[in-house]
Amino acid sequence: VQLQASGGGLVQAGGSLRLSCKTSGMIFSNYIMGWFRQAPGKEREFVAAISWSGGSTGYADSVKGRFTISRDNANDTVYLQMNSLKPEDTAVYYCAADRKSPSFLSHTTKLMDNYDYWGQGTQVTVSS
């Protein structure tokens, strides 16, 4: 199983970026997909998650209304559209895949331990 995140970069505050996570070696539609991030000196935190068909999504309060998670099951890819970026969004962003969870619940999709596979991360830097 491989998860390859891309799309990060340097952007000014108020700008936008779209992250992609291309997967391989797995039946993509069998996995809940999530995005997490880790800023320097901080713990990794949940950003967003999406259910198997894309019908349900969940977001951290800090990104709600600014970020949108989506998936393309035909192309085994999950996306994170990030708008109105702030300097505090600066972090390495990781995509992750959850095969274990039997249902899509907001309190479980935030838990890193539920995710079986992780991508390598892509750096997002937002300048003020």
Side-chain angles (χ1 to χ4, degrees), residues 105-120:
L105 300 174
S106 60
H107 67 279
T108 58
T109 56
K110 298 177 181 180
L111 302 177
M112 288 190 292
D113 287 349
N114 283 348
Y115 289 82
D116 305 281
Y117 302 107
W118 292 80
Q120 87 289 359

Side-chain angles (χ1 to χ4, degrees), residues 59-117:
Y59 297 92
D61 288 342
S62 59
V63 307
K64 205 171 290 183
R66 300 188 297 122
F67 291 10
T68 302
I69 188 172
S70 61
R71 66 189 295 160
D72 181 349
N73 284 358
N75 289 297
D76 300 340
T77 302
V78 62
Y79 303 97
L80 186 67
Q81 177 67 44
M82 305 186 295
N83 298 330
S84 302
L85 283 161
K86 304 175 181 179
E88 52 263 44
D89 294 318
T90 295
V92 177
Y93 283 71
Y94 299 89
C95 57
D98 171 12
R99 180 68 179 91
K100 294 191 290 290
S101 295
S103 56
F104 187 84
L105 300 174
S106 60
H107 67 279
T108 58
T109 56
K110 298 177 181 180
L111 302 177
M112 288 190 292
D113 287 349
N114 283 348
Y115 289 82
D116 305 281
Y117 302 107

